Amino acid sequence: MSRSELESTARAMVAKGKGILAADESGGTIKKRFDSIKLESTEEARRTYREMLFTAPGAADHISGVILYDETIRQKTKDGTPFPQYLQKLGVVPGIKVDTGAKPMAGFAHETITEGLDGLRERLADYYKLGARFAKWRAVIDIGAGYPTQFAIDANAHALARYAALCQEASIVPIVEPEVLMDGDHSIERCEEVTSNTLASVFQQLHSHRIHLEGMILKPNMVISGKKAASRANPQQVAEATVRTLKRYVPGAVPGIAFLSGGQSSAEATEHLSLMNKLGPLPWELTFSYGRALQDEALKAWGGKPETFAAGQKAFLRRAKYNGLARTGSYSSKLEQEAA
Ligand code: 13P
């Protein structure tokens, strides 16, 4: 392990004005996204779509890193440059999703445990050779009647910490992602309670596994009402509850926190991040690692057609720029209306 390499990679991932593009959709997930634009999910369609995003002119002004999927890290641009090398040349750090998915946890109805530890040491060594300098592992915590249990939270936190230790051994920065889902009808208070328990367990496990906190990035959910809640907290309440919770549970030694969007609209995700950064000064960089909230508009504008390749790039850049502004709290939802 190289601590100084880990620290400089982590700092680059949360550089000022920039954030991370999560483009690590698994085969099943990208098929769902392509279904929404009635596009067949072939290997070439997936390659073209990722090329559209990665080669958008000026993307590197707002994007510090890209999370790739196993297939994508082995793919190339049309003119033959492997994606990780293409990104590196732009000063964008390539990363890789290494978990193999959240599977039903035996004996615990409604709960999942994320798999992927077997053979991980060897896979990380391969990914490092392919150019990956950070990795991602997502644990999923759902909220409903009688769950999550503390046992499932702890089991997922333990797996996250084992993953993080293997990453650091390989000089790869772990993105530690415990996602409390916003799918239910729960209140923001319930989300705060579950997120608090989850983060407390995660940092306890990271400590027990001797993780070098300066060489990792946390990727949490925001503290937010469930999508189906009868009444939903407003953006300012989301920003305040999220920052309050993170301050309680995330040590200042962690260089950065990069949120997932989790099913928020693109504009909501940007506004929340901007409001949080306005609450500064904060102990860590607060940035984005969005999948859907960075890609939805680009995917629609592209629609899978060669003649709208540039339109897709434009839509992606606009979103990346707005999120870049949110890093300093200088995004305003008025920008959306002006653009529309
Ligand atoms: P979303 O922003 O679409 O939630 O995706 C981020 C991610 O990487 C989830 O693992």
Side-chain angles (χ1 to χ4, degrees), residues 22 24 136 138 177 219 260-262 289-292:
D24 58 326
K136 175 192 119 171
R138 173 174 175 256
E177 179 178 3
K219 175 164 174 167
L260 58 94
S261 60
S289 174
Y290 296 157
R292 284 163 286 178

Side-chain angles (χ1 to χ4, degrees), residues 56-220:
D61 293 345
H62 318 291
I63 301 294
S64 56
V66 177
I67 317 177
L68 304 165
Y69 185 56
D70 183 73
E71 176 186 85
T72 323
I73 200 171
R74 302 167 198 282
Q75 286 177 322
K76 297 178 175 138
T77 60
K78 216 166 43 202
D79 58 19
T81 311
F83 281 144
Q85 276 70 53
Y86 179 87
L87 293 168
Q88 263 163 2
K89 252 186 248 155
L90 288 178
V92 175
V93 188
I96 181 76
K97 167 203 185 76
V98 300
D99 68 71
T100 56
K103 307 285 162 63
M105 189 157 151
F108 288 78
H110 309 295
E111 296 188 277
T112 60
I113 179 75
T114 298
E115 296 187 348
L117 288 170
D118 288 354
L120 184 56
R121 174 178 276 129
E122 293 73 23
R123 289 165 58 222
L124 286 167
D126 286 345
Y127 286 137
Y128 190 94
K129 280 190 214 136
L130 288 168
R133 292 297 176 269
F134 71 90
K136 175 192 119 171
W137 177 291
R138 173 174 175 256
V140 180
I141 308 295
D142 200 2
I143 299 181
Y147 56 93
T149 61
Q150 191 63 45
F151 187 84
I153 289 175
D154 292 343
N156 274 289
H158 189 265
L160 270 170
R162 282 190 61 197
Y163 139 83
L166 285 163
C167 285
Q168 292 196 331
E169 181 189 78
S171 300
I172 288 179
V173 170
I175 290 187
V176 172
E177 179 178 3
E179 174 173 7
V180 176
L181 296 179
M182 62 178 291
D183 294 345
D185 60 2
H186 52 272
S187 64
I188 189 172
E189 289 80 12
R190 176 84 173 120
C191 179
E192 180 163 347
E193 178 190 37
V194 174
T195 303
S196 298
N197 286 344
T198 302
L199 291 175
S201 178
V202 165
F203 279 96
Q204 192 173 11
Q205 289 295 339
L206 292 172
H207 174 72
S208 298
H209 285 77
R210 304 180 175 175
I211 300 308
H212 182 53
L213 296 180
E214 290 84 347
M216 65 160 276
I217 300 295
L218 179 72
K219 175 164 174 167

Side-chain angles (χ1 to χ4, degrees), residues 226-260:
K227 263 193 188 163
K228 294 179 236 151
S231 82
R232 306 196 62 215
N234 67 38
Q236 188 61 31
Q237 290 169 323
V238 171
E240 285 171 14
T242 305
V243 167
R244 171 171 70 230
T245 305
L246 293 171
K247 277 187 176 166
R248 285 182 180 152
Y249 297 99
V250 185
V254 172
I257 297 174
F259 292 102
L260 58 94

Side-chain angles (χ1 to χ4, degrees), residues 315-334:
F316 172 58
L317 277 177
R318 192 169 76 94
R319 213 63 248 166
K321 188 176 141 200
Y322 289 174
N323 283 301
L325 290 172
R327 290 283 277 107
T328 48
S330 32
Y331 162 84
S332 149
S333 54
K334 286 199 195 92

